[in-house]
Amino acid sequence: VQLQACGGGLVQPGGSLRLSCAASGSIVSINNMGWYRQAPEKQRELVVVINYSGRASYADSVKGRFTISRDNAKNTVFLQMNSLKPEDAAIYYCTAEVFEVGKPEFGNYWGQGTLVTVSS
């Protein structure tokens, strides 16, 4: 299973970006999908997670500005980021709990990370 994230870039404060992350491989189903981020010299932190049914849980720091969604048919998760702040700058990692063909339980997988820079 591979997770391929894209959509990062440079944006001015107050701007928007849309990240996407597609899972591929021998996938039976995907339970939770989500996004973490890690800023320089800081620990990786959870941004938001979404379950198969679409219920999402956001970090307080992004509530009202970020929106997660997913396309279960395409094994893809999206993160719409609005009103970006300098403190949102980080490498964003997608993650997914994947039930693979031939394996007895879900496995946790991570994407390679996509860099978000917020600066004027």
Side-chain angles (χ1 to χ4, degrees), residues 34-102:
W35 294 90
Y36 284 72
R37 66 187 181 187
Q38 187 167 19
E41 301 182 358
K42 292 188 177 181
Q43 289 188 332
R44 189 174 297 190
E45 63 174 359
L46 175 66
V47 176
V48 58
V49 63
I50 185 171
N51 67 9
Y52 184 85
S53 300
R55 178 174 294 180
S57 178
Y58 295 88
D60 288 343
S61 59
V62 306
K63 283 181 181 177
R65 300 187 298 120
F66 290 12
T67 302
I68 191 171
S69 60
R70 63 188 285 175
D71 183 336
N72 291 329
K74 296 182 178 180
N75 294 327
T76 300
V77 63
F78 306 94
L79 183 64
Q80 178 66 43
M81 304 186 294
N82 299 328
S83 302
L84 281 160
K85 304 175 181 180
E87 52 263 43
D88 294 317
I91 298 174
Y92 282 70
Y93 298 91
C94 60
T95 182
E97 295 176 354
V98 180
F99 189 45
E100 291 179 77
V101 174

